Amino acid sequence: MAYVITQRCCNDATCIAECPVDCIRPTPDQPEFATAEMLYIDPDTCIDCGACADSCPVQAIFPEDELTESLSRYRDINAEYFQANPLEADFTPIPAELRPPKERGTLRVAIVGSGPSACYAAQELLERGDVEVDMFDRLPTPWGLVRAGVAPDHAGTKIVTDAFAADFRRDNFRFHLNLEVGDHISHDELLAHHHAVIYAVGASTDRRLGIPGEDLPGSHSATEFVSWYNGHPDFADREFDLSAERAVIVGNGNVALDIARILTTDPDQLATTDIADHALEALRHSAIREVVLLGRRSPAEAAYTSPEFLALGYLPDVDVVVDTADLEPGDALKVRLAHEYAERPSTPGNKRIVFRYLASPLAITGDGHVEALEVSRNRLVSSESGPVAEATGETGTLATGLVLRSIGYRGEPVPDLPFDDARGIVPNDQGSVAPGVYVTGWIKRGARGVIGTNKVDAKETVDKIIGDFAAGELKTPINDREALAALVRKRQPEVVDRDGWTAIDAAERAAGDAAGRPRVKITKAVDLVRTAAR
């Protein structure tokens, strides 16, 4: 019997370090790790010790005889990976981690942001020795996209925050939430109180379609919709017209699949999750019966991951619809799954998630509100860089009252830092931007990868910081930690510290316990701050 990695895999590679027989791939030092959908365990080498399962931060690893029906296929998925990539065990000793030299005293680091990239950087720093970390976020709550981006029905993925919370109970870590860098405190002031500042601010905006009608009422970005149903304070008051029977999502990445699931899942099932109450109420009155996802390429080039695509097939009372005309032969799992969906019979009365491959949006039309989306048909042509979608000249129209664009995220300029507008990142060298200034996560490398990808990324940035500290290249802070705390309180009396966040967390969990849910989110900033002050 072997252990099996399943859908929830977050790619943070914690399990790899724990495996005594080195049978988990790909590893962070392999080129394919950066684009891997998930990690895999070689069933022929696994000794069934369970060390990987014990260390997994999102509980994605199970003994093969304990796999549920919806996860049973991962036994073959793990095995198939090693059939294509035979295991070559590598027991080369891992180099010792860089640690701050004791003679230089305490290394003090500020982290701007509190999402996964920020938290992995903080964890990495706290494990290195004599380090103090101050984490800043403009929201009264931490965890970034884990709280405001991960779909409510993916509760297991959110378990990663438990590990963050456990590490952040240390005295050498402090939260400064509900405080905006650039408003309440400046970049220069952060540098005056720390040896280094890490910006882990993610990619906060969506890419635009650039087509006529994109700004009509009823046309929105995926970020708006996802933040709305997840209870982000900035989006709690948004309204979305769910009165039409069809919604169209332009894009077919994992976020698009998340939205399609939320729109088609029975609200009674969503009522057992941490979905925002206002979204749940709106979905109870939704008329949407069909969600169409447009992708300009074929299934082989689709942006979603195979695990998320596979999971759609287990949604109760929902048909996944694929047109055989969009398909071509292939052995890749995404292609095989698309063929399987195409062969499934439809069930009368079911809601539908329809994949329209080789299709691009031309224009959104309507008289004062979205009424339809004009679409062009594509074909794939070869190029030096691979298959490219090319319009065939065929067009069509999809009647709809809701269009959501989900074609990728983009970083925004950070005040006082350089910015590469073409790539949407802060230019950097292994995370280093300027003396004492660093980046990690999407603002460092672009909006790609999953939650755990940020762990390896954060390690690189932290190694750079400690190397610079050891070389004496970082300026000694002018002011101490208590001076920072006093400045923060003066500038923002309603700053939320660790105790404040603990109070919010406890209140949400208590409300969730009473309702049979993981938590009931507080969605208004003023209410969050009030709860933190109790």
Side-chain angles (χ1 to χ4, degrees), residues 3 36 43-44 50 64 74 165 246 250 254 271 277 281 292 295 307-308 328 361 407 415 423 454 475-476 501 504:
Y3 275 75
D44 294 333
E64 60 179 321
Y74 284 93
R246 177 188 288 138
V250 181
N254 283 349
D277 285 347
E281 182 63 19
V292 178
E308 292 299 318
E328 52 191 25
I407 56 172
R423 301 171 62 195
N454 293 293
K475 291 183 179 180
T476 301
W501 160 241
I504 293 171

Side-chain angles (χ1 to χ4, degrees), residues 201-206 409-415 418-419 421 424-426 443:
V201 295
S204 58
T205 60
D206 292 74
Y409 294 100
R410 173 180 169 78
E412 288 283 280
V414 178
F419 190 70
D421 191 64
I425 65 168
V426 172
I443 198 64

Side-chain angles (χ1 to χ4, degrees), residues 263-279:
L263 287 171
T264 54
T265 296
D266 185 337
D268 286 342
Q269 294 183 37
L270 293 176
T272 64
T273 73
D274 67 352
I275 190 170
D277 285 347
H278 57 254

Side-chain angles (χ1 to χ4, degrees), residues 391-415:
T392 63
E394 298 177 51
T395 61
T397 301
L398 287 169
T400 181
L402 178 66
V403 174
L404 299 168
R405 66 176 185 272
S406 182
I407 56 172
Y409 294 100
R410 173 180 169 78
E412 288 283 280
V414 178

Side-chain angles (χ1 to χ4, degrees), residues 129-447:
D130 190 8
V131 181
E132 292 178 348
V133 175
D134 292 288
M135 184 173 286
F136 301 80
D137 199 295
R138 70 178 186 86
L139 294 179
T141 57
W143 314 144
L145 280 180
V146 179
R147 179 179 171 94
V150 173
D153 60 347
H154 278 18
T157 304
K158 301 183 184 186
I159 297 173
V160 69
T161 62
D162 292 346
F164 298 149
D167 282 347
F168 296 170
R169 295 191 186 106
R170 310 180 193 191
D171 290 338
N172 55 340
F173 176 90
R174 289 181 180 176
F175 271 133
H176 304 280
L177 308 174
N178 197 40
L179 183 143
E180 188 159 7
V181 174
D183 183 4
H184 298 110
I185 192 169
S186 71
H187 170 76
D188 289 340
E189 286 171 330
L190 287 182
L191 285 173
H193 291 82
H194 302 87
H195 292 91
V197 179
I198 302 175
Y199 285 87
V201 295
S204 58
T205 60
D206 292 74
R207 298 182 185 277
R208 290 181 60 83
L209 298 172
I211 61 174
E214 185 170 6
D215 295 318
L216 273 174
S219 171
H220 308 271
S221 71
T223 294
E224 293 175 79
F225 194 73
V226 170
S227 299
W228 171 73
Y229 67 61
N230 274 318
H232 190 297
D234 291 352
F235 298 88
D237 293 329
R238 296 294 176 90
E239 294 184 0
F240 297 87
D241 186 351
L242 308 180
S243 63
E245 290 195 359
R246 177 188 288 138
V248 179
I249 304 172
V250 181
N252 59 9
N254 283 349
V255 173
L257 268 58
D258 286 346
I259 295 172
R261 286 198 321 277
I262 296 301
L263 287 171
T264 54
T265 296
D266 185 337
D268 286 342
Q269 294 183 37
L270 293 176
T272 64
T273 73
D274 67 352
I275 190 170
D277 285 347
H278 57 254
L280 180 61
E281 182 63 19
L283 289 166
R284 287 193 183 280
H285 296 90
S286 171
I288 293 173
R289 303 288 304 170
E290 178 179 282
V291 179
V292 178
L293 292 94
L294 294 186
R296 62 190 179 90
R297 295 187 176 182
S298 68
E301 291 85 29
Y304 53 69
T305 60
S306 299
E308 292 299 318
F309 192 38
L310 172 61
L312 292 180
Y314 294 93
L315 291 176
D317 304 319
V318 177
D319 289 334
V320 179
V321 179
V322 175
D323 190 337
T324 54
D326 292 342
L327 303 181
E328 52 191 25
D331 293 328
L333 181 55
K334 288 180 183 178
V335 177
R336 285 185 282 146
L337 288 172
H339 278 276
E340 291 175 18
Y341 288 137
E343 293 167 3
R344 288 187 182 183
S346 296
T347 302
N350 276 4
K351 292 181 180 178
R352 293 155 48 97
I353 297 176
V354 180
F355 286 84
R356 290 280 301 272
Y357 299 103
L358 298 171
S360 296
L362 290 176
I364 300 170
T365 61
D367 184 8
H369 191 280
V370 170
E371 296 177 5
L373 177 69
E374 295 179 6
V375 178
S376 71
R377 177 77 178 171
N378 299 332
R379 62 169 171 260
L380 290 180
V381 296
S382 300
S383 72
E384 293 183 0
S385 58
V388 175
E390 180 182 89
T392 63
E394 298 177 51
T395 61
T397 301
L398 287 169
T400 181
L402 178 66
V403 174
L404 299 168
R405 66 176 185 272
S406 182
I407 56 172
Y409 294 100
R410 173 180 169 78
E412 288 283 280
V414 178
D416 302 306
L417 271 61
F419 190 70
D420 183 336
D421 191 64
R423 301 171 62 195
I425 65 168
V426 172
N428 66 92
D429 176 16
Q430 298 178 308
S432 177
V433 179
V437 182
Y438 302 84
V439 287
T440 191
W442 281 359
I443 198 64
K444 171 186 175 183
R445 68 180 188 275

Side-chain angles (χ1 to χ4, degrees), residues 100-151:
K102 292 183 179 180
E103 62 272 16
R104 292 202 173 274
T106 301
L107 170 61
R108 301 197 59 242
V109 180
I111 301 178
V112 182
S114 66
S117 61
C119 291
Y120 279 123
Q123 279 188 319
E124 193 72 34
L125 285 162
L126 294 170
E127 292 171 0
R128 299 294 184 97
D130 190 8
V131 181
E132 292 178 348
V133 175
D134 292 288
M135 184 173 286
F136 301 80
D137 199 295
R138 70 178 186 86
L139 294 179
T141 57
W143 314 144
L145 280 180
V146 179
R147 179 179 171 94
V150 173

